Amino acid sequence: AFFCLLLCVPWGSSCPPSCQCTERAGAKAVLCSSRHLEEIPKDIPRDAVFLKLDANSITRIPSNAFRHLSHLEELDLSRNAIEKIDRAAFKGVAAGLRTLDLSSNRIRSIPKEALLALNAKLRLANNPWHCECALQEVLWEARLDPDSVQDITCHTAPREEYVGKPLLQVLDAGVNFCSVRQRTTDVAMFITMFGWFTMVIVYVICYVRHNQEDTCRHVDYLKSLPSTQGHAE
């Protein structure tokens, strides 16, 4: 009877001990808010549609953290201590996810690949962002929540005058962080090519001088030989 009972229990119906699982409009909601979690629980039900992990102490979102949650539509990770997000953090849920809240964390930068594959509405406000090309591309291409986009502020930036300003305001003023990076890359490539070109020129000069010295020594050697006419006499 015990094994029959196990077989009757559907997979993914269990609930993590630190969370509360309930039904919301006929869909499973997993509530793990304010539970002092330091990492994402491993045993989240597979049929979860709503997942709240806000107000915890999570510091990192590893690759494939939610891959088994194919039904997930809303994910709240706000008010944590998240500093690092892996490139494949949201792999497996990108297609169905509608809302992703990463606001009020410690995120300075994020791989654009982690967000640009999502169709979800993103909340990224109140993080200590380093304004750079990747963040600019996210702002241009991702679906950001319009109510929170003004709160994406430059905590650090390539120039001091941008610090403390909303990223959108900086970009509206004509700043392009991607072009700055491109110019830096172009300068680096120019310096590298100039270095190689200089090495080639130096090699050619040394090669020519070496051949000239060999030729001079050969000529001097020929001059030092007794002439044919002297031997005949």
Side-chain angles (χ1 to χ4, degrees), residues 112 130-140 176-179 181-182:
K112 62 180 182 179
H130 174 65
C131 289
E132 57 180 349
C133 182
L135 182 58
Q136 175 179 313
E137 290 178 341
V138 168
L139 190 65
W140 282 349
N176 189 335
F177 294 106
C178 294
S179 66
R181 185 181 68 175
Q182 183 62 42

Side-chain angles (χ1 to χ4, degrees), residues 197-213:
F197 181 74
T198 302
M199 290 176 62
V200 171
I201 295 298
V202 171
Y203 173 80
V204 171
I205 292 173
C206 292
Y207 179 79
V208 170
R209 287 182 176 177
H210 180 72
N211 284 349
Q212 287 177 341
E213 292 174 357

Side-chain angles (χ1 to χ4, degrees), residues 29-42:
V30 182
L31 311 178
C32 310
S33 305
S34 304
R35 299 302 174 98
H36 307 289
L37 298 174
E38 296 183 357
E39 60 181 17
I40 298 168
K42 305 294 184 183

Side-chain angles (χ1 to χ4, degrees), residues 18-101:
S18 56
C19 304
Q20 177 185 0
C21 296
T22 183
E23 295 288 329
R24 183 192 298 178
K28 175 161 288 187
V30 182
L31 311 178
C32 310
S33 305
S34 304
R35 299 302 174 98
H36 307 289
L37 298 174
E38 296 183 357
E39 60 181 17
I40 298 168
K42 305 294 184 183
D43 49 355
I44 298 172
R46 293 179 177 271
D47 55 348
V49 176
F50 308 100
L51 176 58
K52 288 184 65 66
L53 291 164
D54 56 304
N56 283 292
S57 301
I58 299 170
T59 59
R60 179 191 173 203
I61 307 178
S63 297
N64 303 310
F66 309 100
R67 188 171 187 175
H68 65 292
L69 305 178
S70 58
H71 301 283
L72 195 61
E73 295 182 6
E74 295 185 15
L75 176 57
D76 188 354
L77 288 160
S78 63
R79 297 184 294 150
N80 274 279
I82 298 170
E83 296 180 353
K84 180 176 176 55
I85 299 177
D86 292 355
R87 294 178 182 274
F90 305 107
K91 187 174 182 179
V93 297
L97 203 61
R98 296 186 305 177
T99 302
L100 173 59
D101 194 343

Side-chain angles (χ1 to χ4, degrees), residues 133 136 158-159 161-162 174-192:
C133 182
Q136 175 179 313
R159 297 178 60 174
E161 61 189 279
Y162 306 144
V175 177
N176 189 335
F177 294 106
C178 294
S179 66
V180 171
R181 185 181 68 175
Q182 183 62 42
R183 287 198 298 270
T184 303
T185 303
D186 292 343
V187 170
M189 290 181 61
F190 174 78
I191 293 174
T192 302

